[in-house]
Amino acid sequence: MKNSIDAMNNTRSKWRLIWLLPMAILIITGVPKVIGMEFMVNNMADAGMGHMTLAVGILELFCVLMFLIPQTRNIGFLLTVAYTGGIICAQWIAGMSVIPGIVIQTLLWIGMRFEKPEFFILGKQTKF
């Protein structure tokens, strides 16, 4: 088991930064929500959440911030995955395309797999 983690650590430097794209997307969509840009407020209104634009923007940026701090990356990953799950649900209910949320979530999972492979180990392997 240790050898597989060591092998992942050797390859993780190539692929671990794949999560930068979803983080950039979430920052690019979170800042306009926080500052109340008209196009974002209209987009949120189309999804039935126009009154929650500021709160959703703050939550989005908080999740990104937690993910970008190395000491809080695990909880930030879980928060960001939960947030993007909410994006998928909200877009589905509003009749919008769910593809952007699925792509963001997939890139997060792939990036985290290469960033911290030990995060995906289910239990300790003990030798008798």
Side-chain angles (χ1 to χ4, degrees):
M1 189 61 142
K2 186 163 174 64
N3 290 337
S4 65
I5 292 174
D6 291 338
M8 285 297 295
N9 286 337
N10 291 337
T11 60
R12 95 179 189 184
S13 63
K14 294 180 194 173
W15 296 100
R16 70 184 192 144
L17 297 179
I18 199 165
W19 50 259
L20 283 176
L21 181 61
M23 290 297 112
I25 291 169
L26 292 173
I27 290 169
I28 289 169
T29 59
V31 171
K33 289 174 189 159
V34 170
I35 62 177
M37 295 182 81
E38 185 177 347
F39 79 92
M40 191 55 77
V41 173
N42 292 338
N43 190 23
M44 293 287 289
D46 290 343
M49 298 183 293
H51 63 287
M52 297 189 303
T53 304
L54 177 63
V56 170
I58 291 171
L59 179 65
E60 185 173 354
L61 293 177
F62 176 75
C63 291
V64 169
L65 178 67
M66 293 293 286
F67 188 90
L68 292 177
I69 298 171
Q71 292 83 1
T72 60
R73 181 148 301 145
N74 290 350
I75 190 71
F77 168 71
L78 296 173
L79 289 171
T80 307
V81 166
Y83 177 80
T84 56
I87 291 172
I88 294 168
C89 289
Q91 289 177 333
W92 188 346
I93 290 170
M96 304 165 109
S97 173
V98 297
I99 300 298
I102 291 172
V103 168
I104 290 171
Q105 182 128 173
T106 302
L107 290 174
L108 281 170
W109 280 100
I110 292 170
M112 190 63 168
R113 175 69 172 109
F114 287 108
E115 175 75 21
K116 292 192 173 210
E118 62 276 5
F119 187 73
F120 293 88
I121 296 173
L122 294 177
K124 285 187 172 182
Q125 298 292 330
T126 58
K127 294 182 181 180
F128 293 103

